[in-house]
Structures are given as structure tokens and as C-alpha cells.
Amino acid sequence: MLEKVDGEFQGACIPFIDGHGLRVANNRLAFAPDGSLWIGQISFGGWIEGGSGIQRIVFTGNAPMDVYTMSLTRNGFDLTFTQPVDPATGTSPVNYKIRRYRYEYKNKPIEEGVDISTQIDVQDVPVTNAHFPKMERKFL
């Protein structure tokens, strides 16, 4: 999720199929003619458990419940979800976990690992309020 704010690009990331069997060390992605997604994984120097491999994701026809868009506003964030959200669930701040961090871009020694980057200045962002406008997929 990428947007331009005051002339600078910034964005948010969400876990893709997190906790549903997708391994780490994803390196190459390609869509097949049938619409399925093939994911190639590679392990450099044994630092990833499970090693190299290939996994395939096939769309079932049911959209997963997830954040569809996230935009910065003057008072926080505007979230739109892929499916309708129960107002009681969506307006409870305890149902949200947001954290921020950055990466330090630098040359690093080869023993640090190719795809390993340390998150710096990790901070939990407290969610103090969530309200539900007329659109049932959007929360502010």
C-alpha cells in the first residue's frame, strides 16, 4: 500500500497469507495461465529453516478478510477492508495492532545474510479510537 504524502512516498505492509502455510525466503513469484500463483523459495547458507522450494496458491473464489487500503489522515488512518466488517468488532480499538519501524540502508557484511534486515526504532502505535462511517467496509 503506497501513497505520496507531502511529495514523499510512504507505505504500509500487511502479512500475505500469514500463518496459513506460506514459508519464508520467498524469492520469485509468477502467475500461471490458470491464475494460480507460484512462489519460489531459496535458502542462502542454511539461515532459513525449511530450505528452498516451490509453493502454489490457488484462489478459491472467496476473498480473504484483510486490509484493502490504508491511507494517512490528519487524525490517524483510513482503513478499507476486503469484506464487510461487523461494527462492534470494527469499532473496538483492541482489535487493531499497528507498529512502525524503519530500515537502515547500508552496506552489510555477507555473513549478515542476503535477505535479513533489522527493523530499527520499532514502536507500537496505540489505537485509541475506531469509528464506523456509513460504508460497511471502511473504518477511520
Side-chain angles (χ1 to χ4, degrees):
M1 291 178 244
L2 189 63
E3 67 181 341
K4 204 171 198 176
V5 177
D6 292 332
E8 297 291 328
F9 283 104
Q10 62 183 21
C13 298
I14 58 170
F16 181 62
I17 309 180
D18 192 34
H20 296 284
L22 187 62
R23 295 190 307 258
V24 296
N26 301 308
N27 186 292
R28 299 284 188 269
L29 296 105
F31 284 99
D34 67 357
S36 62
L37 177 62
W38 289 90
I39 299 127
Q41 294 129 348
I42 187 162
S43 175
F44 292 101
W47 56 268
I48 297 292
E49 293 290 326
S52 302
I54 296 175
Q55 287 184 280
R56 181 177 175 220
I57 298 172
V58 178
F59 182 55
T60 64
N62 298 322
M65 175 56 172
D66 220 324
V67 176
Y68 183 66
T69 64
M70 178 178 177
S71 298
L72 183 64
T73 69
R74 288 189 178 274
N75 299 319
F77 296 97
D78 184 352
L79 302 176
T80 303
F81 295 89
T82 57
Q83 295 181 7
V85 179
D86 171 58
T89 304
T91 56
S92 177
V94 299
N95 291 324
Y96 299 91
K97 181 178 180 182
I98 298 176
R99 66 184 176 127
R100 67 177 176 210
Y101 55 88
R102 65 181 179 88
Y103 292 107
E104 183 178 13
Y105 296 100
K106 62 176 182 166
N107 286 332
K108 55 185 178 176
I110 190 68
E111 21 337 305
E112 193 172 328
V114 176
D115 287 336
I116 297 177
S117 295
T118 303
Q119 295 173 350
I120 300 171
D121 299 332
V122 178
Q123 297 176 8
D124 287 333
V125 178
V127 177
T128 58
N129 187 17
H131 68 275
F132 184 75
K134 293 178 182 172
M135 294 176 59
E136 62 183 15
R137 293 186 337 155
K138 186 174 264 190
F139 283 86
L140 307 173

